Amino acid sequence: GWFGKETIVGEKRIDIRDHLAAKYPRVWGKTLCWHGPIPPAEAWDRVHRADGVLVPTVWETYSYAATEAASLGSPLVISDGAGASFLFEDGVSARIVPAGDAGAMAAAMLSLKDPAVRARLGRGAREAVVSRLEDGRVIAERLAVYERAIDQRRLRRRQPIFRQSMS
């Protein structure tokens, strides 16, 4: 199922539900169902119980849906266009596919039919976000970036911006 608010897409400003129903009439409402918004606790429970979470993004800066699902131990199929894909390793903590490659996405989804694959990827996904997004690690990495920026600024201040002519 698909849970969430409606999304308006395209130049014609069409509701995504209408667009998908028209484009995929054989599966829309049968295999793929939109259920609308649900309370957060119910969403977390459904994601946790899901056989897998699909993040087919072509491009985005970061995917909270992916990291939230991974934190629950849900197996992921994620495109390399999703900003959070860098957190995962293909075949270890997620199935990572090229953005926009429907065939690769379908094959990765089919691999989740195997309970052992789901269990392995779910464990790996949770381990990936717990280790990569652990508070102390994130803080240390951020401080290191700030310190490098400060050091570079200090170096630039020592160098004159304009050199006077010696004439």
Side-chain angles (χ1 to χ4, degrees), residues 14-157:
I14 300 171
D15 185 303
I16 191 72
R17 291 173 294 171
D18 297 334
H19 170 76
L20 293 172
K23 189 165 183 172
Y24 303 104
R26 291 186 325 160
V27 296
W28 189 255
K30 300 166 187 75
T31 305
L32 181 61
C33 301
W34 182 80
H35 299 285
I38 58 176
E42 184 179 345
W44 282 94
D45 181 58
R46 288 183 184 218
V47 168
H48 180 68
R49 290 185 293 118
D51 287 337
V53 173
L54 175 64
V55 184
T57 307
V58 175
W59 182 90
E60 69 181 353
T61 56
Y62 194 76
S63 175
Y64 285 105
T67 55
E68 289 169 349
S71 75
L72 294 171
S74 298
L76 292 176
V77 174
I78 186 170
S79 77
D80 60 8
S85 65
F86 77 95
L87 295 169
F88 307 103
E89 182 180 344
D90 186 38
V92 176
S93 51
R95 290 297 317 274
I96 302 173
V97 300
D101 186 337
M105 184 71 64
M109 290 169 54
L110 288 173
S111 75
L112 297 183
K113 290 174 89 172
D114 182 341
V117 171
R118 290 194 308 269
R120 185 183 78 245
L121 292 177
R123 278 190 310 275
R126 177 156 172 70
E127 290 169 10
V129 296
V130 166
S131 67
R132 299 285 304 270
L133 300 178
E134 187 269 324
D135 292 349
R137 180 178 178 168
V138 171
I139 291 168
E141 289 173 355
R142 179 135 329 152
L143 285 174
V145 168
Y146 294 154
E147 288 170 2
R148 282 194 305 271
I150 290 168
D151 289 344
Q152 288 176 359
R153 181 158 172 87
R154 284 184 188 135
L155 286 174
R156 281 196 302 262
R157 282 186 173 173

